[in-house]
Amino acid sequence: MNHTKIDKIKNILIEHQVGCIIINLSRDLKLAGLAAKKAGTEKIIYRRGSAIPIKDSVLNRYYFKNVVTHILANSEATKNTVLSNNPTLFPKENITVIYNGIDIDGFLSKEVKPLYRSINKNEVVLVNLGRLEAQKNQQFLILLASELKKRQVPFKLLIGGEGRLKEALQQQAKELNVSEDVLFLGFIEEPKNFIVSGDIFLLSSLWEGFGYVLAEAALCKKPVVAFDTSSNPEIVIQEKTGYLTKVNDVESFADKVEKLITNPGLREQMGHKRF
């Protein structure tokens, strides 16, 4: 613990008469949180952006019982996981949900430049956007591609994003003989251009604090297939704007995707439902 830094932050808070401080990272809580406590800051708010339970450690018990005054969660799912490991860690009535904001007008006004155009009129394009990391679970999408190919369903899967699992995912696609059906487009600078390139948006994440891409897919009028977990049900309306399935259930997920692939009218209907 760096007492010099803590005292420096404390003095800044006192000098500027800060009455409220919002802390976004757990490591910052250890520094700025303690400094705010020493400065007598009235409201010390910890913003929780991930639907993962807070560890019930001795250090966390101290900070959440003695330092933090309020918790700001970005979804009901995040709020509900905060106290999973210790229901008495923090007063539940002091946890407030404020969803992540999206500049809807700004997003919709952006010029559309699709990144992919199918040359096969029967091909339905599936899109997924996210870091190529374990949480985002894109290996499930490779299994999905294999299942759809077995069913002889016409599709192309576009995966946007970079990450440590890229080579492993490409190897998995090669082993399952879907390399030509799954395209890795790398880092996507403008999400809208990527999402509008597809017909159906897929989310394979094991958890999300708040699924920005789901809201963006809705703004692009794309139906969604995702897991019935975390904050997804707060964004996707089951059987109205998309489908939610059991986590990692390839058969069920493939059933919903196939239903949308073979029914363009249903895709359009769900896409236009939006929220």
Side-chain angles (χ1 to χ4, degrees), residues 84-252:
S84 295
N85 288 332
N86 182 351
T88 66
L89 181 68
F90 189 81
K92 193 169 185 178
E93 61 270 20
N94 287 349
I95 305 176
T96 301
V97 173
I98 298 180
Y99 290 108
N100 292 348
I102 294 180
D103 180 3
I104 294 177
D105 291 337
F107 184 87
L108 294 177
S109 66
K110 290 179 181 177
E111 185 180 357
V112 176
K113 296 180 180 179
L115 302 181
Y116 175 86
R117 293 187 186 277
S118 176
I119 58 174
N120 180 353
K121 65 178 182 179
N122 295 319
E123 181 182 81
V124 175
V125 181
L126 315 174
V127 291
N128 167 267
L129 180 60
R131 292 173 291 106
L132 305 184
E133 303 290 344
Q135 175 201 346
K136 303 300 182 179
N137 193 33
Q138 283 96 348
Q139 61 266 30
F140 172 83
L141 296 178
I142 310 300
L143 297 175
L144 172 70
S146 178
E147 177 63 26
L148 292 174
K149 190 168 186 177
K150 289 176 184 176
R151 299 184 185 192
Q152 297 183 324
V153 178
F155 76 95
K156 184 74 73 175
L157 171 60
L158 310 182
I159 297 178
E162 289 287 352
R164 292 173 292 182
L165 297 181
K166 186 172 184 177
E167 290 186 8
L169 290 168
Q170 291 174 326
Q171 180 61 31
Q172 181 187 11
K174 183 177 180 180
E175 291 173 356
L176 293 178
N177 194 32
V178 292
S179 292
E180 293 184 1
D181 308 288
V182 181
L183 302 181
F184 295 88
L185 271 62
F187 176 75
I188 303 299
E189 186 171 345
E190 178 47 67
K192 184 178 180 180
N193 291 336
F194 178 77
I195 296 172
V196 298
S197 301
D199 300 296
I200 305 168
F201 190 87
L202 309 181
L203 189 71
S204 53
S205 300
L206 297 173
W207 74 85
E208 289 286 347
F210 177 87
Y212 261 116
V213 288
L214 293 181
E216 291 172 337
L219 291 173
C220 291
K221 299 181 180 180
K222 304 300 177 183
V224 171
V225 184
F227 295 145
D228 188 7
T229 188
S230 194
S231 63
N232 293 350
E234 298 175 55
I235 307 172
V236 179
I237 304 173
Q238 180 73 296
E239 298 187 352
K240 289 187 177 181
T241 63
Y243 293 109
L244 299 170
T245 75
K246 185 178 178 181
V247 176
N248 284 340
D249 186 336
V250 176
E251 289 288 331
S252 177

Side-chain angles (χ1 to χ4, degrees), residues 54-56 60-61 64-65 82-83 86-91:
I54 294 175
K55 293 179 180 179
D56 185 27
N60 279 341
R61 286 197 293 272
F64 285 96
K65 288 182 182 295
V82 166
L83 305 180
N86 182 351
T88 66
L89 181 68
F90 189 81

